[in-house]
């Protein structure tokens, strides 16, 4: 169980797709958005139907949602926030599109 949990915590919604001397280009993994939306859907359905099993499933899904949205990618989210504040980031694509995924080009010092 501990090994599986560490794999979930290591899950990162961003990957480096391009790197040079001055910039890193990160791509947001679109499947991550759809995965978290599915978790929220399970939670919402568990609140609509009066079943102890569904409420338990909803509580578990909410805990999973917290782990997969708050922990992974924290370092890159911090870089994105810093680059946004300093207006040194380029952004393209969409968070929900598999054909045109969201990409960030960030200076290495950010």
């Amino acid at each position: 169980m501990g090994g599986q949990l560490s794999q979930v915590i290591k899950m990162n919604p961003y990957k480096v797709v391009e790197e040079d001397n001055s910039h890193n280009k990160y791509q947001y993994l679109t499947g991550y958005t759809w995965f978290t939306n599915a978790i929220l859907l399970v939670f919402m359905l568990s609140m609509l139907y009066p079943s102890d099993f569904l409420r338990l499933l909803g509580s578990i899904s909410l805990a999973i949602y917290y782990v997969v949205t708050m922990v992974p990618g924290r370092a890159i989210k911090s870089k994105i926030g810093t680059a946004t504040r300093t207006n040194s980031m380029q952004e393209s694509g969409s968070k929900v599109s598999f054909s045109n995924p969201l990409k960030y080009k960030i200076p290495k010092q950010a």
Side-chain angles (χ1 to χ4, degrees):
M1 176 76 178
Q4 291 174 354
L5 183 59
S6 68
Q7 289 301 320
V8 170
I9 291 173
K10 288 179 185 177
M11 186 167 61
N12 194 342
Y14 303 95
K15 71 176 181 177
V16 177
V17 291
E18 193 177 304
E19 187 173 1
D20 60 24
N21 292 335
S22 60
H23 290 83
N24 282 337
K25 192 169 196 177
Y26 298 99
Q27 177 179 325
Y28 183 83
L29 302 176
T30 304
Y32 194 80
T33 297
W34 292 101
F35 176 69
T36 56
N37 288 345
I39 291 172
L40 287 177
L41 180 64
V42 169
F43 176 71
M44 289 188 295
L45 289 174
S46 74
M47 295 297 113
L48 290 175
Y49 297 102
S51 164
D52 290 338
F53 173 73
L54 285 177
R55 289 202 177 127
L56 176 64
L57 192 62
S59 300
I60 292 169
S61 70
L62 192 59
I64 291 170
Y65 181 80
Y66 174 77
V67 169
V68 300
T69 58
M70 300 302 281
V71 178
R74 186 175 284 169
I76 296 172
K77 287 178 191 177
S78 175
K79 288 180 184 181
I80 291 169
T82 301
T84 301
R85 284 190 293 280
T86 61
N87 202 22
S88 61
M89 175 183 72
Q90 295 175 355
E91 181 179 335
S92 65
S94 170
K95 210 173 198 180
V96 295
S97 172
F98 286 102
S99 61
N100 184 24
L102 182 61
K103 294 179 183 166
Y104 300 101
K105 187 173 182 181
I106 301 174
K108 283 199 174 184
Q109 71 271 13

